[in-house]
């Protein structure tokens, strides 16, 4: 009888993720839908970081929905106390202890040397803190991205340094279709737009005009500019369009215009004793005039917000208050839809609607003065009577009122940057000294 002997096969080791080829690992990581999760995936090991940080991998990622990390609140106090800036994380961001990354102390002179005036995407725009008599002049600016701790100092436009500034805004170019543009960071695609009032020399009654000055660090020349030397500071002045030149709109001093807000990808100002709105398009940085209908004339324009919460559909809502504090909401299409008609969507008598709220006093709406807007967004508007000691909010969808107990402040949203900055640390953390980093490392040499 012949005995057969068999050699036992060696025991194979279990298969892990490290055994996957790079191509298959890329397909798995491409399924990640959150930029925060993608950064944490890059922090797993050096191989994952190498795959995620590869430019070819990043170009194939579809941009996820904008994730708001939180809001910077500018809380206003008395004249003798400086404004306080506080970051409040969003509940959906799941930042945890990493909120310290949103501190602005890394800016030159610290955060107390700057005043937050606008935000867009993951960027903030701040102006140099100055005394009250210079606050309305052309300011020194800085653009920063809190998560990556990058910033760019923007000197003022010397030709306009003595002109009155009506507003400074931050705009980010949006390239949603090209793959190469997806890999561009916000710090390389922003523009700063400063609206200045220029008084006409030799003209009585203080007549003047408005002009848009644009700081674009990525363009050396523009055909539609007056300044032919933009290579020095990247500032240039936009020529008025032919339609604006034909209108011949002139302002009687800076007090004749009042800023209403941002909606439908444009900024809006109301002109005193006129039936028009001054509109600045954020894409072209050109002005246009929007005529108001008879039904709105005589009302106190308060604020302009996006219609339906989508700035790209071109719908905007104008919120007005009559002398009797009757709230009315009108809607129209700025361009591309309908025939430009204004429609009264909703109305509300503030005196009757707020009578049952806590803290209400009967004399709040009896003096004939219109209430003031504290803050506004697409969903709600917060008002205060003239005394500014009691505030209430109005839901623009349901027109329900509620007593508002918050602090009088202005909130600026800040999103997580896209594409995310990958600084995943796989060595011992030198800053914390507590083992390996599990999230985004803030070590200097990470």
């Amino acid at each position: 009888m012949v005995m057969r002997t068999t050699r036992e096969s060696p025991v194979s080791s279990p298969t892990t993720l490290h055994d996957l080829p790079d191509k298959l690992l890329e397909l798995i990581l491409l399924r990640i839908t959150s930029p925060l999760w993608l950064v944490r995936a890059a922090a797993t090991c050096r191989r994952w970081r190498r795959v995620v940080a590869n430019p070819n991998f990043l170009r194939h990622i579809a941009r996820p929905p904008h994730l708001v990390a939180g809001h910077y609140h500018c809380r206003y106090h008395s004249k003798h106390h400086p404004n306080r800036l506080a970051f409040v994380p969003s509940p959906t961001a799941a930042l945890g202890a990493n909120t310290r990354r949103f501190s602005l102390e890394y800016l030159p002179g610290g955060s107390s040397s700057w005043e937050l005036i606008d935000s867009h995407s993951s960027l903030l725009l701040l102006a140099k803190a100055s005394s009250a008599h210079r606050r309305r002049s052309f300011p020194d600016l800085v653009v920063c991205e809190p998560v990556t701790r990058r910033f760019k100092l923007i000197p003022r436009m010397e030709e306009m340094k003595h002109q009155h500034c009506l507003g400074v805004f931050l705009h980010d170019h949006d390239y949603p279709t090209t793959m190469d543009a997806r890999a561009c960071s916000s710090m390389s695609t922003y523009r700063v737009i400063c609206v200045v009032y220029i008084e006409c020399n030799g003209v009585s009654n203080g007549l003047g005009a408005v002009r848009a000055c644009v700081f674009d660090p990525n363009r050396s020349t523009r055909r539609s500019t007056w300044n032919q030397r933009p290579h020095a500071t990247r500032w240039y002045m936009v020529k008025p369009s032919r339609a604006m030149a034909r209108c011949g709109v002139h302002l009687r001093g800076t007090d004749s215009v009042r800023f209403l807000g941002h909606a439908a990808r444009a900024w809006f100002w109301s002109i005193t004793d006129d039936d028009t709105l001054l509109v600045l398009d954020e894409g072209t940085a050109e002005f246009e005039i929007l005529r108001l209908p008879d039904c709105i004339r005589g009302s106190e324009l308060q604020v302009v917000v996006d219609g339906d919460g989508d700035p790209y559909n071109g719908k905007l809502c104008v919120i007005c208050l009559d002398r009797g504090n009757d709230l009315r909401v009108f809607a129209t299409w700025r361009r591309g839809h309908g025939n430009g008609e204004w429609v009264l969507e909703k109305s509300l008598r503030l005196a009757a609607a707020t009578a049952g709220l806590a803290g209400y006093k009967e004399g709040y709406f009896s003096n004939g003065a219109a209430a003031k807007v504290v803050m506004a967004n697409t969903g709600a508007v917060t008002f205060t009577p003239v005394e500014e000691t009691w505030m209430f909010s109005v839901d623009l969808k349901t027109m329900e009122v509620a007593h508002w107990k918050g602090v009088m402040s202005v909130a600026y949203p800040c999103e997580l940057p896209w594409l995310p900055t990958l600084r995943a640390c796989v060595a011992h953390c030198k800053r914390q000294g507590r083992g390996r980093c599990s999230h985004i490392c803030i070590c200097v040499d990470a």
Side-chain angles (χ1 to χ4, degrees):
M1 183 172 169
V2 179
M3 301 292 295
R4 291 186 177 182
T5 59
T6 59
R7 182 178 298 176
E8 295 183 359
S9 59
V11 179
S12 60
S13 59
T15 303
T16 64
L17 285 175
H18 296 287
D19 298 320
L20 295 177
D22 286 354
K23 290 295 183 182
L24 187 55
L25 181 60
E26 286 183 8
L27 294 177
I28 296 175
L29 295 177
L30 282 173
R31 309 285 294 186
I32 296 178
T33 58
S34 170
L36 183 61
W37 297 342
L38 187 64
V39 172
R40 290 179 176 176
T44 303
C45 62
R46 293 183 179 179
R47 183 193 177 205
W48 286 34
R49 178 185 180 180
R50 173 176 52 81
V51 172
V52 174
N54 190 296
N56 293 328
F57 174 84
L58 296 175
R59 289 192 179 96
H60 287 83
I61 299 179
R63 179 163 186 156
H66 298 283
L67 180 59
V68 177
H71 291 76
Y72 285 90
H73 289 260
C74 296
R75 298 179 179 180
Y76 295 97
H77 296 268
S78 63
K79 299 180 180 179
H80 303 286
H81 293 81
N83 299 337
R84 299 178 61 184
L85 186 63
F87 177 77
V88 179
S90 173
T92 60
L95 296 175
N98 287 330
T99 55
R100 66 182 183 275
R101 295 188 59 82
F102 293 87
S103 172
L104 302 180
E105 294 300 329
Y106 66 92
L107 294 178
S111 60
S112 59
S113 301
W114 303 92
E115 296 179 1
L116 182 58
I117 56 178
D118 199 9
S119 69
H120 192 287
S121 185
S122 61
L123 302 181
L124 303 179
L125 176 64
L126 301 98
K128 191 72 173 179
S130 58
S131 57
H133 69 278
R134 291 190 56 193
R135 188 162 297 174
R136 293 187 176 183
S137 60
F138 206 106
D140 292 314
L141 303 166
V142 63
V143 173
C144 70
E145 191 171 55
V147 174
T148 61
R149 294 177 174 262
R150 293 182 294 175
F151 65 89
K152 170 67 176 179
L153 292 172
I154 302 177
R156 61 188 177 186
M157 190 175 183
E158 287 300 320
E159 298 91 326
M160 297 287 115
K161 64 181 180 180
H162 298 301
Q163 304 298 336
H164 191 107
C165 181
L166 298 180
V168 186
F169 310 101
L170 183 63
H171 175 246
D172 190 6
H173 292 288
D174 191 10
Y175 305 96
T177 56
T178 61
M179 287 193 303
D180 290 338
R182 294 178 192 166
C184 294
S185 66
S186 297
M187 285 296 294
S188 61
T189 60
Y190 71 88
R191 292 192 308 167
V192 176
I193 303 176
C194 183
V195 180
V196 296
Y197 170 80
I198 303 176
E199 187 173 349
C200 299
N201 295 327
V203 179
S204 60
N205 298 327
L207 286 179
V210 290
R211 295 291 182 266
C213 301
V214 180
F215 179 87
D216 192 342
N218 301 303
R219 294 190 182 184
S220 58
T221 58
R222 274 179 74 99
R223 295 180 180 178
S224 59
T225 64
W226 285 347
N227 185 2
Q228 299 299 325
R229 297 175 290 102
H231 57 277
T233 61
R234 307 295 182 180
W235 281 104
Y236 62 87
M237 183 180 294
V238 180
K239 283 185 177 180
S241 63
R242 292 184 178 179
M244 279 293 296
R246 287 195 300 267
C247 291
V249 176
H250 290 85
L251 305 178
R252 297 185 181 276
T254 56
D255 295 333
S256 62
V257 289
R258 185 168 61 87
F259 182 65
L260 295 179
H262 178 267
R265 299 176 64 83
W267 294 280
F268 293 82
W269 288 264
S270 63
I271 303 177
T272 305
D273 299 330
D274 202 342
D275 58 348
T276 59
L277 294 180
L278 184 64
V279 185
L280 176 63
D281 188 277
E282 70 174 26
T284 62
E286 294 181 353
F287 287 101
E288 60 182 280
I289 292 297
L290 185 63
R291 299 291 177 181
L292 295 174
D294 294 336
C295 58
I296 299 182
R297 297 174 188 175
S299 302
E300 181 71 21
L301 297 181
Q302 292 292 329
V303 70
V304 175
V305 297
D306 282 314
D308 301 330
D310 186 2
Y312 293 91
N313 65 6
K315 184 180 180 182
L316 59 94
C317 292
V318 177
I319 301 171
C320 305
L321 281 177
D322 292 338
R323 291 182 177 86
N325 281 298
D326 292 339
L327 175 65
R328 296 190 297 168
V329 180
F330 292 89
T332 188
W333 296 95
R334 186 166 159 247
R335 59 163 64 98
H337 300 274
N339 54 5
E341 292 184 355
W342 293 77
V343 179
L344 176 62
E345 290 196 336
K346 296 165 186 175
S347 61
L348 181 69
R349 295 186 65 88
L350 295 183
T354 59
L357 299 180
Y360 171 82
K361 293 182 181 180
E362 195 164 340
Y364 277 155
F365 300 101
S366 61
N367 54 8
K372 298 180 180 179
V373 173
V374 177
M375 64 181 68
N377 54 45
T378 303
V381 179
T382 303
F383 293 92
T384 180
V386 179
E387 295 184 6
E388 300 182 1
T389 58
W390 179 73
M391 292 178 287
F392 62 93
S393 61
V394 179
D395 190 301
L396 295 180
K397 291 184 178 180
T398 63
M399 298 304 285
E400 295 180 353
V401 297
H403 181 212
W404 196 72
K405 301 179 181 179
V407 180
M408 187 178 295
S409 63
V410 180
Y412 296 92
C414 182
E415 299 175 0
L416 291 178
W418 186 261
L419 292 162
T421 300
L422 303 175
R423 299 177 63 191
C425 184
V426 295
H428 287 280
C429 185
K430 299 180 180 180
R431 187 182 182 96
Q432 300 292 339
R434 298 180 181 178
R436 297 178 182 273
C437 296
S438 58
H439 298 289
I440 308 171
C441 185
I442 59 175
C443 299
V444 176
D445 56 351

